[in-house]
Amino acid sequence: MKKTSYFAKYLFVLFTVAMACNEESITEVPVPLQKKTPLLSKEENEERASISQLYADFTRVLRDIEIEEDIMSYPEFEKALRETNSKERDLLKREIKEAMSGMDENTRTGAAGLKLEGNCKSNVVSRETSSRIKSLGRSRARINWSNKARSRYGWKYRKWSKAKDRGYYHYTDGTDFLLWKYRAYGKPCK
């Protein structure tokens, strides 16, 4: 008896759904209009592409010398880059280009051909970098530290993440509004 009542209810529900689907009075809900994104000019597209390429190179260099969690995200990097002046951007591009030139297979030997003893070497201090954004200043100081350590002691000593007694000297310049000055220091280790 129970089976037939469930079956009857099932048929009734199925019949009402079928009738509702066949009714012509069902109105369609209008689809909201999508906002069209404005087309970017050729210069804006080129600028975005150059920022994207610069960030890719920036992260490639930092991944080579340190651990992943210390790297800025793309939105942070883009914001920091837009807040910098052209002189600072050009300096960052040169630093990244110099660091990437050392990543080439043919130049990895550097001073590694010399007989180096011990796991850690004497302290290396980067040149002073400046930035309006703290994290960009620290990243640039680490890149510069890595370049100096690599040129002084060889390819195996370039990693900031393996350096002992590492840290930063930093201060704000009183002549410029919130301009952070950084120097990275540490003993490079294999």
Side-chain angles (χ1 to χ4, degrees), residues 85 87-88 91 126-141 167-184:
N85 57 25
K87 182 179 175 184
E88 196 172 336
L91 186 59
S126 72
R127 79 170 167 71
E128 187 176 83
T129 61
S130 60
S131 178
R132 296 190 198 311
I133 310 296
K134 284 181 171 183
S135 55
L136 183 60
R138 284 193 303 265
S139 296
R140 289 178 56 203
Y168 303 98
Y169 300 117
H170 67 279
Y171 64 95
T172 55
D173 191 349
T175 59
D176 293 326
F177 182 70
L178 289 178
L179 186 64
W180 292 91
K181 307 274 186 173
Y182 277 95
R183 283 181 185 261

Side-chain angles (χ1 to χ4, degrees), residues 119-175:
N119 193 24
C120 292
K121 299 299 177 186
S122 63
N123 198 32
V124 172
V125 179
S126 72
R127 79 170 167 71
E128 187 176 83
T129 61
S130 60
S131 178
R132 296 190 198 311
I133 310 296
K134 284 181 171 183
S135 55
L136 183 60
R138 284 193 303 265
S139 296
R140 289 178 56 203
R142 290 191 305 260
I143 289 171
N144 188 268
W145 179 92
S146 175
N147 289 341
K148 275 191 157 181
R150 183 187 69 219
S151 67
R152 189 177 294 168
Y153 298 116
W155 181 254
K156 293 180 181 179
Y157 291 91
R158 75 191 185 287
K159 295 201 179 269
W160 171 255
S161 59
K162 292 183 179 181
K164 258 186 166 177
D165 304 326
R166 64 183 183 192
Y168 303 98
Y169 300 117
H170 67 279
Y171 64 95
T172 55
D173 191 349
T175 59

